[in-house]
Amino acid sequence: MVKMSLDAVQVMSGQVKELKVSPSSNGDARGSWEGKEEFDPSQLELTAKPKPVTGRRARKVEGAVFFPKPENAVTVAVSSRVLFRTEREQKVFEQKGVEEYLRYQIEHENEPFAPGPAFPFVKALEAVNTRLRELYPQSEELFDIVLVTYNHAHVGIRLINTINHHNLFIERFCMTGGSSPIGYLKAWHTNLYLSADAEKVREALAEGIAAATMFMTEKLTEVSESQLRVAFDGDAVLFSDESERIFKTHGLDKFFEHEKENEDRLLDHGPLKGFLEALGKLQKKFYAKGQRLDCPIRTYLVTARSAASSGIRALKTLRAWGLEIDEALFLAGAPKGPMLEKIRPHIYFDDQMFHVEGAAEMGTVAAHVPYGIAQKYNSQQKMSSGK
């Protein structure tokens, strides 16, 4: 089993030592900027002229390329620590403190960060935007990506250089200097927040914002560059944890009995239902142009439910909500990892760490949704195992 924890920034590999992260400015873990000797970047001596960043592209906002209003777009807020790999910088902060960390970032600001676990997902969002602009040049119904970071503004130059180096179209930043980003997420009308900080993810969920914790992984499966693939668990992700509570407290037989008795009663919504709705809204724009079979967005339901005994309620609920799932996999308790390896999603959402770890073992980027009854049982398991 791949070793993971909910501590921010973990390298998911049995051979890699777990990186313990103290509160920091680098990414999502909240850091304190008080009680430290103030760093003056003007005093930084550079012995050599900075080299230009290779691969920088010219930005032109003309024609169909413009910035949508947040209320019209599907806004995805991504932490810098899941979009890019920043472990080295994190160690500088932990070992030498915030002032040396800032000095290091400025000295290396022309060295781009390597892609992190959210990078392929963001690239896929941009590929969908390209197709949407071709079909609807004046529409503001696009993915709008916001980079959210706890970093000090001094680090912004390196982040911008990295974005240009990787040819990402990200123009909106939230650099909070150690403050919580949750208020900004609400102001951006955020549809999805991806972070390495589980506590901030829980805070976002409590505010009604779809959110999930992402992890570093050493093994990554190659994913499509032209079609965005998003996979969801059912209970406590798309749906509420009502049925999962029955299963956890009364067992499988009672769960089947409960689902049979309530198959015509809709499940309540879960934390990621709104994001699936947003994806469906963009899918329909392609369907309207006769591109259902060539749609660059594809969604999947990957659930441990059984089809005959408990699947009908889930499907009836989705239909009543007016939501379409392109593929539904009812695994009846079988491992999800092998199925996800075949799907090759850019991201998979699940409320149980067991399934997140299993997906990661097969090279799938899986994000944990810390919501519902399963979190109580996860905590009990950690306590009983001494973790």
Side-chain angles (χ1 to χ4, degrees):
M1 180 64 66
V2 175
K3 185 175 182 180
M4 294 179 56
S5 88
L6 291 185
D7 292 335
V9 184
Q10 300 295 329
V11 179
M12 290 168 52
S13 170
Q15 288 73 43
V16 181
K17 185 177 180 181
E18 187 177 31
L19 178 63
K20 289 291 182 182
V21 180
S22 59
S24 143
S25 62
N26 188 15
D28 290 319
R30 184 168 185 174
S32 173
W33 299 90
E34 301 176 356
K36 300 284 187 180
E37 180 181 354
E38 185 176 357
F39 169 63
D40 182 0
S42 66
Q43 301 301 314
L44 179 65
E45 295 183 3
L46 297 179
T47 58
K49 184 178 180 180
K51 296 180 180 180
V53 176
T54 59
R56 177 176 293 180
R57 66 174 181 171
R59 295 288 180 81
K60 293 184 179 181
V61 183
E62 61 184 12
V65 181
F66 56 90
F67 307 114
K69 297 182 181 66
E71 60 268 25
N72 296 331
V74 177
T75 301
V76 177
V78 184
S79 158
S80 61
R81 289 171 58 216
V82 297
L83 184 56
F84 304 122
R85 301 291 297 256
T86 60
E87 296 95 323
R88 182 182 302 170
E89 290 71 22
Q90 190 70 29
K91 288 182 179 179
V92 172
F93 176 85
E94 293 172 354
Q95 296 171 4
K96 299 183 179 181
V98 66
E99 305 307 325
E100 285 301 317
Y101 164 78
L102 290 174
R103 186 186 302 274
Y104 180 91
Q105 291 281 29
I106 292 174
E107 288 176 342
H108 295 80
E109 65 186 16
N110 289 308
E111 300 173 13
F113 294 112
F119 188 90
F121 175 65
V122 168
K123 291 291 285 185
L125 298 181
E126 294 189 347
V128 174
N129 277 354
T130 299
R131 292 277 301 275
L132 283 168
R133 288 191 176 104
E134 292 171 355
L135 296 174
Y136 303 92
Q138 304 303 317
S139 176
E140 293 191 0
E141 292 180 316
L142 302 162
F143 289 112
D144 190 19
I145 303 156
V146 179
L147 185 67
V148 177
T149 174
Y150 274 81
N151 267 305
H152 191 282
H154 290 325
V155 186
I157 294 175
R158 189 178 186 189
L159 289 171
I160 292 170
N161 285 341
T162 299
I163 285 169
N164 287 330
H165 173 80
H166 291 295
N167 287 318
L168 296 173
F169 194 82
I170 302 177
E171 298 288 356
R172 287 174 168 150
F173 276 37
C174 277
M175 306 187 68
T176 68
S179 299
S180 173
I182 302 304
Y184 297 113
L185 296 180
K186 297 177 73 173
W188 284 115
H189 300 270
T190 301
N191 297 92
L192 177 67
Y193 173 48
L194 299 175
S195 172
D197 188 335
E199 186 57 40
K200 285 296 171 282
V201 166
R202 284 190 285 268
E203 188 177 337
L205 289 170
E207 293 293 329
I209 300 169
T213 311
M214 298 192 75
F215 305 90
M216 299 297 180
T217 178
E218 290 303 306
K219 179 182 178 181
L220 282 177
T221 300
E222 185 177 346
V223 293
S224 173
E225 295 181 359
S226 59
Q227 184 181 62
L228 170 66
R229 300 176 185 175
V230 183
F232 301 87
D233 181 28
D235 296 292
V237 176
L238 291 180
F239 314 121
S240 73
D241 67 339
E242 167 207 324
S243 297
E244 194 162 338
R245 286 178 178 274
I246 300 295
F247 171 69
K248 293 290 188 183
T249 55
H250 300 290
L252 189 59
D253 290 340
K254 283 291 185 181
F255 167 77
F256 287 147
E257 180 181 328
H258 177 267
E259 293 303 290
K260 183 65 175 177
E261 292 176 351
N262 293 277
E263 68 176 36
D264 292 322
R265 185 172 65 85
L266 301 183
L267 289 158
D268 199 0
H269 67 85
L272 270 293
K273 181 219 175 185
F275 183 58
L276 177 61
E277 282 182 322
L279 294 176
K281 183 178 180 180
L282 295 184
Q283 281 181 309
K284 289 177 181 177
K285 294 177 72 70
F286 291 99
Y287 300 167
K289 296 290 187 178
Q291 297 190 13
R292 177 180 285 270
L293 298 181
D294 189 32
C295 182
I297 304 173
R298 194 162 184 84
T299 56
Y300 303 80
L301 173 65
V302 183
T303 174
R305 283 175 175 256
S306 303
S309 57
S310 58
I312 191 168
R313 189 181 184 197
L315 294 177
K316 284 183 175 181
T317 297
L318 290 172
R319 180 192 293 173
W321 288 346
L323 299 181
E324 294 186 37
I325 282 283
D326 294 301
E327 299 188 31
L329 282 70
F330 294 92
L331 302 184
K336 297 181 179 181
M339 296 296 104
L340 291 167
E341 185 182 27
K342 298 300 181 184
I343 294 172
R344 300 194 174 201
H346 292 87
I347 192 167
Y348 169 63
F349 298 100
D350 202 295
D351 66 306
Q352 299 191 56
M353 286 300 300
F354 173 80
H355 293 306
V356 172
E357 292 168 345
E361 285 186 331
M362 308 299 289
T364 296
V365 174
H368 180 240
V369 182
Y371 172 84
I373 188 68
Q375 311 319 305
K376 175 182 176 181
Y377 283 81
N378 286 336
S379 299
Q380 290 177 348
Q381 289 172 358
K382 287 183 181 180
M383 292 177 63
S384 63
S385 62
K387 296 182 180 179

